[in-house]
Short mmCIF file of all heavy atoms in Angstrom, two decimals:
data_model
loop_
_atom_site.label_atom_id
_atom_site.label_comp_id
_atom_site.label_asym_id
_atom_site.label_seq_id
_atom_site.Cartn_x
_atom_site.Cartn_y
_atom_site.Cartn_z
N GLU A 1 17.85 -26.76 5.73
CA GLU A 1 17.14 -25.49 5.72
C GLU A 1 17.21 -24.88 4.33
O GLU A 1 18.29 -24.74 3.76
CB GLU A 1 17.79 -24.54 6.73
CG GLU A 1 17.07 -23.24 6.90
CD GLU A 1 15.68 -23.36 7.49
OE1 GLU A 1 15.44 -24.31 8.27
OE2 GLU A 1 14.83 -22.52 7.17
N ARG A 2 16.07 -24.56 3.76
CA ARG A 2 16.01 -23.97 2.44
C ARG A 2 15.55 -22.54 2.54
O ARG A 2 14.69 -22.21 3.34
CB ARG A 2 15.04 -24.75 1.55
CG ARG A 2 15.54 -26.15 1.24
CD ARG A 2 14.52 -27.01 0.57
NE ARG A 2 13.90 -26.39 -0.58
CZ ARG A 2 13.08 -27.02 -1.38
NH1 ARG A 2 12.77 -28.26 -1.18
NH2 ARG A 2 12.54 -26.41 -2.41
N SER A 3 16.11 -21.68 1.72
CA SER A 3 15.72 -20.29 1.69
C SER A 3 14.41 -20.18 0.91
O SER A 3 14.33 -20.61 -0.23
CB SER A 3 16.80 -19.46 1.01
OG SER A 3 16.40 -18.12 0.93
N THR A 4 13.38 -19.64 1.56
CA THR A 4 12.09 -19.48 0.91
C THR A 4 11.62 -18.04 1.02
O THR A 4 12.06 -17.30 1.90
CB THR A 4 11.01 -20.40 1.53
OG1 THR A 4 10.79 -20.02 2.89
CG2 THR A 4 11.39 -21.86 1.44
N HIS A 5 10.73 -17.66 0.14
CA HIS A 5 10.19 -16.31 0.12
C HIS A 5 8.69 -16.37 -0.09
O HIS A 5 8.21 -17.16 -0.90
CB HIS A 5 10.84 -15.49 -1.00
CG HIS A 5 12.32 -15.41 -0.84
ND1 HIS A 5 12.93 -14.47 -0.06
CD2 HIS A 5 13.32 -16.18 -1.33
CE1 HIS A 5 14.23 -14.65 -0.09
NE2 HIS A 5 14.49 -15.69 -0.86
N LYS A 6 7.98 -15.52 0.65
CA LYS A 6 6.53 -15.47 0.52
C LYS A 6 6.19 -14.78 -0.80
O LYS A 6 6.69 -13.71 -1.11
CB LYS A 6 5.92 -14.69 1.68
CG LYS A 6 4.43 -14.65 1.64
CD LYS A 6 3.75 -14.07 2.87
CE LYS A 6 4.54 -13.08 3.64
NZ LYS A 6 3.83 -12.50 4.76
N ILE A 7 5.33 -15.44 -1.59
CA ILE A 7 4.92 -14.83 -2.85
C ILE A 7 3.42 -14.49 -2.85
O ILE A 7 2.96 -13.80 -3.75
CB ILE A 7 5.25 -15.72 -4.07
CG1 ILE A 7 4.56 -17.07 -4.00
CG2 ILE A 7 6.75 -15.87 -4.23
CD1 ILE A 7 4.68 -17.89 -5.28
N TYR A 8 2.70 -14.96 -1.83
CA TYR A 8 1.27 -14.70 -1.80
C TYR A 8 0.73 -14.93 -0.40
O TYR A 8 1.17 -15.84 0.28
CB TYR A 8 0.56 -15.64 -2.79
CG TYR A 8 -0.94 -15.47 -2.85
CD1 TYR A 8 -1.51 -14.39 -3.50
CD2 TYR A 8 -1.78 -16.40 -2.27
CE1 TYR A 8 -2.88 -14.24 -3.57
CE2 TYR A 8 -3.16 -16.26 -2.33
CZ TYR A 8 -3.70 -15.17 -2.98
OH TYR A 8 -5.05 -15.03 -3.04
N GLU A 9 -0.19 -14.08 0.03
CA GLU A 9 -0.85 -14.28 1.31
C GLU A 9 -2.30 -13.86 1.16
O GLU A 9 -2.60 -12.79 0.62
CB GLU A 9 -0.17 -13.47 2.41
CG GLU A 9 -0.73 -13.75 3.77
CD GLU A 9 0.12 -13.15 4.88
OE1 GLU A 9 1.04 -12.37 4.58
OE2 GLU A 9 -0.16 -13.46 6.04
N GLU A 10 -3.20 -14.70 1.63
CA GLU A 10 -4.63 -14.44 1.50
C GLU A 10 -5.29 -14.48 2.87
O GLU A 10 -5.60 -15.56 3.38
CB GLU A 10 -5.28 -15.46 0.56
CG GLU A 10 -6.77 -15.30 0.36
CD GLU A 10 -7.15 -13.98 -0.30
OE1 GLU A 10 -6.44 -13.54 -1.20
OE2 GLU A 10 -8.16 -13.38 0.11
N GLY A 11 -5.46 -13.34 3.47
CA GLY A 11 -6.17 -13.22 4.74
C GLY A 11 -5.85 -14.31 5.74
O GLY A 11 -4.70 -14.57 6.07
N ASN A 12 -6.88 -14.98 6.21
CA ASN A 12 -6.73 -16.02 7.23
C ASN A 12 -6.47 -17.40 6.65
O ASN A 12 -6.28 -18.35 7.39
CB ASN A 12 -7.98 -16.06 8.12
CG ASN A 12 -8.16 -14.78 8.90
OD1 ASN A 12 -7.19 -14.09 9.19
ND2 ASN A 12 -9.40 -14.47 9.22
N VAL A 13 -6.51 -17.51 5.34
CA VAL A 13 -6.34 -18.82 4.71
C VAL A 13 -4.90 -19.30 4.80
O VAL A 13 -4.64 -20.47 5.03
CB VAL A 13 -6.79 -18.78 3.22
CG1 VAL A 13 -6.56 -20.12 2.55
CG2 VAL A 13 -8.25 -18.40 3.14
N GLY A 14 -3.94 -18.42 4.61
CA GLY A 14 -2.53 -18.80 4.68
C GLY A 14 -1.69 -18.09 3.65
O GLY A 14 -2.11 -17.11 3.05
N GLU A 15 -0.49 -18.62 3.47
CA GLU A 15 0.45 -17.99 2.56
C GLU A 15 1.08 -19.04 1.64
O GLU A 15 1.02 -20.23 1.91
CB GLU A 15 1.56 -17.27 3.33
CG GLU A 15 2.46 -18.19 4.12
CD GLU A 15 3.49 -17.43 4.94
OE1 GLU A 15 3.30 -16.24 5.23
OE2 GLU A 15 4.50 -18.05 5.30
N VAL A 16 1.65 -18.56 0.55
CA VAL A 16 2.38 -19.42 -0.37
C VAL A 16 3.83 -18.97 -0.34
O VAL A 16 4.13 -17.79 -0.50
CB VAL A 16 1.83 -19.30 -1.81
CG1 VAL A 16 2.67 -20.12 -2.78
CG2 VAL A 16 0.37 -19.72 -1.86
N ARG A 17 4.74 -19.92 -0.11
CA ARG A 17 6.18 -19.64 -0.07
C ARG A 17 6.85 -20.46 -1.17
O ARG A 17 6.39 -21.54 -1.50
CB ARG A 17 6.76 -19.98 1.28
CG ARG A 17 6.14 -19.15 2.42
CD ARG A 17 6.83 -19.36 3.74
NE ARG A 17 8.15 -18.78 3.82
CZ ARG A 17 8.43 -17.50 4.07
NH1 ARG A 17 7.45 -16.65 4.22
NH2 ARG A 17 9.67 -17.08 4.16
N ILE A 18 7.91 -19.90 -1.72
CA ILE A 18 8.64 -20.58 -2.79
C ILE A 18 10.13 -20.60 -2.45
O ILE A 18 10.68 -19.60 -1.99
CB ILE A 18 8.37 -19.91 -4.16
CG1 ILE A 18 8.97 -20.72 -5.29
CG2 ILE A 18 8.85 -18.48 -4.18
CD1 ILE A 18 8.48 -20.30 -6.66
N ALA A 19 10.75 -21.75 -2.65
CA ALA A 19 12.18 -21.89 -2.36
C ALA A 19 13.01 -21.34 -3.52
O ALA A 19 12.60 -21.39 -4.68
CB ALA A 19 12.52 -23.37 -2.14
N ASP A 20 14.19 -20.82 -3.17
CA ASP A 20 15.10 -20.29 -4.19
C ASP A 20 15.41 -21.33 -5.26
O ASP A 20 15.47 -21.01 -6.44
CB ASP A 20 16.42 -19.85 -3.56
CG ASP A 20 16.29 -18.57 -2.75
OD1 ASP A 20 15.18 -18.02 -2.66
OD2 ASP A 20 17.32 -18.13 -2.21
N ASP A 21 15.60 -22.58 -4.83
CA ASP A 21 15.96 -23.60 -5.82
C ASP A 21 14.82 -23.93 -6.77
O ASP A 21 15.06 -24.39 -7.88
CB ASP A 21 16.55 -24.85 -5.18
CG ASP A 21 15.69 -25.50 -4.14
OD1 ASP A 21 14.76 -24.84 -3.62
OD2 ASP A 21 15.93 -26.68 -3.81
N VAL A 22 13.58 -23.64 -6.39
CA VAL A 22 12.46 -23.81 -7.32
C VAL A 22 12.56 -22.77 -8.43
O VAL A 22 12.38 -23.08 -9.61
CB VAL A 22 11.11 -23.69 -6.58
CG1 VAL A 22 9.95 -23.64 -7.57
CG2 VAL A 22 10.94 -24.84 -5.61
N VAL A 23 12.89 -21.54 -8.06
CA VAL A 23 13.08 -20.48 -9.05
C VAL A 23 14.27 -20.83 -9.95
O VAL A 23 14.22 -20.63 -11.17
CB VAL A 23 13.29 -19.11 -8.38
CG1 VAL A 23 13.56 -18.03 -9.41
CG2 VAL A 23 12.07 -18.75 -7.53
N ALA A 24 15.31 -21.41 -9.38
CA ALA A 24 16.48 -21.82 -10.16
C ALA A 24 16.12 -22.91 -11.16
O ALA A 24 16.59 -22.89 -12.31
CB ALA A 24 17.61 -22.29 -9.24
N VAL A 25 15.29 -23.87 -10.77
CA VAL A 25 14.86 -24.93 -11.68
C VAL A 25 14.03 -24.34 -12.82
O VAL A 25 14.21 -24.71 -13.99
CB VAL A 25 14.09 -26.04 -10.93
CG1 VAL A 25 13.39 -26.97 -11.91
CG2 VAL A 25 15.03 -26.82 -10.04
N ILE A 26 13.15 -23.41 -12.50
CA ILE A 26 12.35 -22.75 -13.54
C ILE A 26 13.28 -22.05 -14.53
O ILE A 26 13.12 -22.18 -15.75
CB ILE A 26 11.36 -21.73 -12.93
CG1 ILE A 26 10.29 -22.46 -12.12
CG2 ILE A 26 10.72 -20.86 -14.02
CD1 ILE A 26 9.43 -21.54 -11.26
N ALA A 27 14.29 -21.35 -14.02
CA ALA A 27 15.25 -20.65 -14.89
C ALA A 27 16.02 -21.65 -15.75
O ALA A 27 16.22 -21.43 -16.95
CB ALA A 27 16.22 -19.82 -14.05
N GLY A 28 16.44 -22.76 -15.16
CA GLY A 28 17.19 -23.78 -15.90
C GLY A 28 16.37 -24.41 -17.00
O GLY A 28 16.86 -24.61 -18.12
N LEU A 29 15.13 -24.74 -16.70
CA LEU A 29 14.25 -25.33 -17.72
C LEU A 29 14.02 -24.35 -18.87
O LEU A 29 14.06 -24.73 -20.04
CB LEU A 29 12.92 -25.73 -17.10
CG LEU A 29 12.93 -26.98 -16.24
CD1 LEU A 29 11.61 -27.13 -15.50
CD2 LEU A 29 13.18 -28.20 -17.10
N ALA A 30 13.78 -23.09 -18.52
CA ALA A 30 13.54 -22.07 -19.55
C ALA A 30 14.77 -21.91 -20.43
O ALA A 30 14.67 -21.83 -21.66
CB ALA A 30 13.14 -20.75 -18.90
N ALA A 31 15.94 -21.86 -19.82
CA ALA A 31 17.19 -21.70 -20.58
C ALA A 31 17.42 -22.88 -21.52
O ALA A 31 17.84 -22.70 -22.66
CB ALA A 31 18.37 -21.53 -19.63
N MET A 32 17.14 -24.08 -21.05
CA MET A 32 17.37 -25.28 -21.85
C MET A 32 16.44 -25.36 -23.06
O MET A 32 16.72 -26.07 -24.02
CB MET A 32 17.22 -26.54 -21.00
CG MET A 32 18.27 -26.70 -19.92
SD MET A 32 19.95 -26.81 -20.55
CE MET A 32 19.87 -28.35 -21.41
N GLU A 33 15.32 -24.62 -23.04
CA GLU A 33 14.38 -24.62 -24.16
C GLU A 33 14.86 -23.77 -25.33
O GLU A 33 14.31 -23.87 -26.43
CB GLU A 33 13.01 -24.11 -23.70
CG GLU A 33 12.28 -25.07 -22.79
CD GLU A 33 10.95 -24.51 -22.31
OE1 GLU A 33 10.63 -23.33 -22.61
OE2 GLU A 33 10.23 -25.24 -21.63
N VAL A 34 15.85 -22.92 -25.10
CA VAL A 34 16.33 -22.02 -26.15
C VAL A 34 17.26 -22.77 -27.10
O VAL A 34 18.22 -23.41 -26.66
CB VAL A 34 17.03 -20.79 -25.53
CG1 VAL A 34 17.63 -19.91 -26.62
CG2 VAL A 34 16.06 -19.99 -24.66
N GLU A 35 16.99 -22.65 -28.39
CA GLU A 35 17.83 -23.30 -29.38
C GLU A 35 19.24 -22.70 -29.34
O GLU A 35 19.40 -21.48 -29.32
CB GLU A 35 17.23 -23.11 -30.78
CG GLU A 35 17.99 -23.85 -31.85
CD GLU A 35 17.34 -23.71 -33.23
OE1 GLU A 35 16.24 -23.16 -33.34
OE2 GLU A 35 17.98 -24.17 -34.19
N GLY A 36 20.23 -23.57 -29.29
CA GLY A 36 21.61 -23.12 -29.22
C GLY A 36 22.23 -23.36 -27.86
O GLY A 36 23.45 -23.32 -27.72
#
C-alpha cells in the first residue's frame, strides 16, 4: 500500500494521484543536481 494524494481532477474524465515516494524521488534528483 502506497500513500498517494490527488493532485488533479477533471470532471468525469478522472483524477491524477501521486505517491509520496514519487515526490521524494523528485526531491532527491533535484538535490543531487546541486554542486557540492
Side-chain angles (χ1 to χ4, degrees):
E1 185 65 29
R2 292 170 51 173
S3 178
T4 64
H5 301 275
K6 183 172 27 177
I7 61 171
Y8 180 75
E9 186 169 9
E10 179 63 39
N12 296 332
V13 177
E15 66 184 21
V16 176
R17 298 187 71 81
I18 188 167
D20 287 1
D21 55 342
V22 171
V23 177
V25 168
I26 292 169
L29 285 170
M32 294 300 293
E33 290 178 355
V34 175
E35 185 177 353

